[in-house]
Every structure is written in structure tokens, then in C-alpha cells.
Amino acid sequence: MALFLHALNLVLLGCAGGVVAGFVIWIVIALIAFGEWVLDRLPRGSRLEYQRYRAEQDIRGIRRQAVLDLLDAEHDQRLAYDDHDIIEGTAVEVGRS
């Protein structure tokens, strides 16, 4: 009977060790997954390059629109130069529509 209890004790200790080892492995896998999740959320070089590219394109669009507004205002000013209702014929106002 003592041998049976000793064998049962070893089996139960082995199962308990297996459960503890399983929890440790589960915690390690969870920490690795969390680390990868955090790294996925961090800005990468390519994402930053794309954001910089989009910002440059937006700036170019604003500059392009400003030049078009300036040319449009200059055209309107030239048409209105001979109009006697306008006091200052050389004033140009550039507005954003």
C-alpha cells in the first residue's frame, strides 16, 4: 500500500508540475503576443515616410491653389482696371474660395 501511495504522490506531483509549467508557457506566449501587438502599433519607417509624403503633397496642393488664386485675382484686377467705380486699380486681394 505504501508503494501505491508513493506512486500516486509522484503522479500527482508530476501533474501539478505540468500544470505549473503549462501556466508558465501560457504566460510567456501571452507576453510575446503582447510585445508583438505593441510593436505593430509603433510607427515604422515606412509609415513615417508615407506620412511625410502625404504632408509634402498637401503642401504642394496648397501652393498650387495659392498660385491659381493669385493668377485669378490678377486677371480680375486687370479686368477691373478700367472700371471707374474702383478707386485703387492696382490693389490685388488674394482670397481662398
Side-chain angles (χ1 to χ4, degrees):
M1 185 75 175
L3 186 61
F4 175 74
L5 290 177
H6 184 64
L8 182 63
N9 189 21
L10 287 177
V11 169
L12 291 177
L13 283 176
C15 289
V19 168
V20 170
F23 278 126
V24 170
I25 290 172
W26 183 77
I27 289 172
V28 168
I29 291 172
L31 288 175
I32 290 172
F34 179 73
E36 289 180 1
W37 178 78
V38 169
L39 288 177
D40 284 343
R41 287 341 178 237
L42 290 176
R44 294 184 185 153
S46 61
R47 189 176 300 161
L48 290 176
E49 290 174 11
Y50 176 72
Q51 289 175 349
R52 189 176 94 199
Y53 169 77
R54 288 302 316 153
E56 288 175 356
Q57 293 302 315
D58 292 342
I59 290 171
R60 287 182 182 172
I62 291 170
R63 287 180 180 166
R64 188 177 303 116
Q65 187 61 44
V67 168
L68 291 174
D69 289 344
L70 181 63
L71 291 174
D72 190 33
E74 184 179 345
H75 176 68
D76 292 344
Q77 185 267 337
R78 286 185 182 169
L79 290 177
Y81 186 74
D82 293 328
D83 192 357
H84 298 292
D85 293 336
I86 297 177
I87 297 171
E88 184 70 34
T90 59
V92 176
E93 180 179 344
V94 177
R96 196 142 169 101
S97 55

